[in-house]
Amino acid sequence: MRIHHARNATLFIETADQVVLVDPMLGPKGTMPPFSFFRAKPRKNPLVDYPESSRAILERVTHCLITHKHPDHIDDAAVAFLKERQIPVTCSAKDRAFYEKKGIKVVQGLAYWAKQEFLGGSIVGIPARHGYGFIAGPMGHVMGFHIELPNEPSVYLSADTIYTDDVKRALTELKPDISVVAAGSAQFDIGQPLLMRVDDVIRFMQDAPGKVIANHLEAINHCPTTRAELRERVSNERLTDRVLIPEDGEVMPF
């Protein structure tokens, strides 16, 4: 297996015969409004271009996973891509109608904790809570995924979430070989963070049984945590040998 980190939460899971695209944000730099105006500099999103090194693998996508319908996880360019190519999509059952109305080919809608077949293996939808306190309500429902494919490492995609009992259950009961955590500590101008604070990201890494990939960094203007800051904290916690903090366009073999 190779995991290609593109930008923000967009990544590709490449196996011998499948390329699974996750949370595609494919549009050019600066094509969306800022998500914060006061807590962060009001720069248009995305802050960075989609990496050229990740363009070729788009041509080989066989399937797509979408954790939730926020524009930094599926933007207009991604909708057009999925619709034009009729890429099969797996998502939460709660979002299925939303995507189908856009002309996206949804082949599978998941309920939380219900295992289904997936590309010759299995997939489980994991509950996610998009924020601390009241802010999680208007952020809507989100679904992480635990994936087991034949002869490949198992993968847990946390999606946009804080650290919850469900997240801990996914780590400790399902025991993924690779876990991907949204680590940018995103926050709007009001309310608490929408993603794990750094302390909870570290807790996630400590509880994960295998390798951890930290993403959702330095691509959206309301994510204050930087790669450098996180690398320093990971080093201080003696987790460097288990944690990967990839640059945009980086490919990680497993």
Side-chain angles (χ1 to χ4, degrees):
M1 176 181 288
R2 302 204 309 169
I3 295 182
H4 303 240
H5 170 70
R7 172 183 64 176
N8 199 48
T10 304
L11 60 84
F12 302 84
I13 301 171
E14 180 187 12
T15 67
D17 53 1
Q18 303 285 347
V19 174
V20 180
L21 168 62
V22 179
D23 282 349
M25 181 177 66
L26 306 179
K29 175 181 176 180
T31 51
M32 292 187 288
F35 296 159
S36 173
F37 292 86
F38 305 109
R39 279 181 167 169
K41 184 177 179 180
R43 294 182 290 168
K44 289 185 177 181
N45 292 306
L47 302 179
V48 293
D49 279 315
Y50 184 87
E52 287 297 323
S53 59
S54 296
R55 293 201 179 278
I57 197 169
L58 274 173
E59 301 300 317
R60 299 194 288 116
V61 169
T62 58
H63 203 93
C64 180
L65 292 171
I66 307 173
T67 63
H68 63 302
K69 56 191 180 184
H70 291 168
D72 60 325
H73 292 256
I74 176 166
D75 61 3
D76 290 343
V79 170
F81 172 81
L82 296 172
K83 182 177 177 180
E84 176 186 354
R85 304 196 180 204
Q86 286 295 283
I87 302 293
V89 168
T90 295
C91 63
S92 167
K94 296 180 179 180
D95 286 339
R96 182 169 196 154
F98 175 84
Y99 297 129
E100 288 177 337
K101 286 179 182 177
K102 293 180 176 291
I104 291 173
K105 181 183 178 181
V106 179
V107 296
Q108 193 172 27
L110 304 180
Y112 293 130
W113 291 116
K115 181 181 285 191
Q116 291 192 25
E117 293 184 3
F118 181 71
L119 304 180
S122 65
I123 188 167
V124 178
I126 309 298
R129 181 176 175 82
H130 201 342
Y132 297 89
F134 78 89
I135 200 71
M139 294 304 290
H141 53 266
V142 182
M143 176 175 281
F145 302 106
H146 181 267
I147 306 160
E148 293 182 294
L149 299 176
N151 305 311
E152 297 287 356
S154 57
V155 180
Y156 168 42
L157 306 166
S158 79
D160 282 10
T161 188
I162 62 173
Y163 199 94
T164 66
D165 289 343
D166 287 304
V167 171
K168 184 170 184 177
R169 177 182 170 188
L171 293 172
T172 58
E173 292 186 13
L174 300 179
K175 300 186 184 305
D177 297 308
I178 304 163
S179 300
V180 181
V181 60
S185 307
Q187 52 189 319
F188 289 142
D189 290 329
I190 60 169
Q192 298 186 66
L194 308 170
L195 303 175
M196 296 179 207
R197 298 183 179 96
V198 173
D199 283 349
D200 281 338
V201 171
I202 295 298
R203 183 181 170 197
F204 181 105
M205 293 170 174
Q206 291 169 333
D207 287 345
K211 295 286 187 179
V212 177
I213 299 170
N215 70 358
H216 215 304
L217 294 162
E218 299 183 8
I220 302 295
N221 88 301
H222 69 332
C223 291
T225 301
T226 66
R227 289 180 173 93
E229 175 189 356
L230 190 58
R231 287 190 180 112
E232 181 178 4
R233 182 66 186 276
V234 165
S235 176
N236 291 341
E237 298 292 339
R238 302 179 185 275
L239 292 167
T240 304
D241 61 332
R242 294 202 299 112
V243 174
L244 300 165
I245 306 173
E247 299 295 331
D248 292 348
E250 186 171 337
V251 181
M252 295 159 283
F254 294 95

